[in-house]
């Protein structure tokens, strides 16, 4: 039977959260690298791009759809990383 009490469980949870944190940081590095390519190609910062794209000014070219999706993914991963780090802070 598995011991679900005590410091052993806390250690397993911390290790899992640290693994998740490393994975999220790796994903962020990859996303930021890809996003940098779009910023350089189109000469726009993310905020300007989002404003112009979401207002319809830029149209619906495939590149813009991919760029928008990557920015959404970035935001989602950053939020998840923040939650993981908050939980780690509570457990340390």
């Amino acid at each position: 039977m598995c011991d679900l009490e005590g410091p052993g469980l806390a250690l397993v949870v911390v290790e899992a959260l640290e693994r998740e944190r490393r994975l999220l940081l790796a994903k962020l590095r990859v996303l930021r690298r890809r996003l940098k390519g779009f910023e350089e190609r189109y000469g726009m910062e993310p905020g300007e791009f989002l404003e112009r794209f979401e207002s319809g000014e830029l149209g619906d070219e495939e590149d813009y759809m991919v760029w928008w999706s990557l920015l959404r993914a970035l935001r989602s991963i950053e939020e998840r990383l923040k939650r993981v780090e908050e939980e780690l802070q509570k457990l340390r």
Side-chain angles (χ1 to χ4, degrees):
M1 181 161 231
C2 182
D3 180 20
L4 296 178
E5 299 288 329
L9 178 62
L11 180 60
V12 169
V13 171
V14 167
E15 288 174 352
L17 287 170
E18 287 175 344
R19 233 181 342 269
E20 178 72 5
R21 181 179 177 276
R22 286 190 303 274
L23 178 63
L24 293 170
L25 288 170
K27 287 180 179 182
L28 285 175
R29 281 191 298 275
V30 170
L31 277 173
R32 287 182 177 135
R33 204 172 312 127
R34 288 191 67 194
L35 287 165
K36 185 79 169 160
F38 284 100
E39 293 167 23
E40 290 172 355
R41 185 176 317 133
Y42 294 103
M44 281 186 274
E45 295 293 318
E48 178 187 358
F49 164 72
L50 284 172
E51 184 178 315
R52 293 178 66 192
F53 179 75
E54 291 176 349
S55 73
E57 180 182 337
L58 297 176
D60 60 357
E61 289 183 36
E62 184 178 350
D63 258 9
Y64 294 146
M65 299 295 278
V66 171
W67 190 0
W68 180 83
S69 297
L70 291 172
L71 286 168
R72 297 283 303 230
L74 180 76
R75 183 179 306 146
S76 175
I77 292 170
E78 287 174 337
E79 290 170 2
R80 186 167 178 183
L81 178 61
K82 181 181 176 187
R83 288 192 309 272
V84 166
E85 290 177 335
E86 288 170 351
E87 290 304 316
L88 276 168
Q89 197 66 25
K90 291 177 191 175
L91 293 169
R92 290 185 175 146

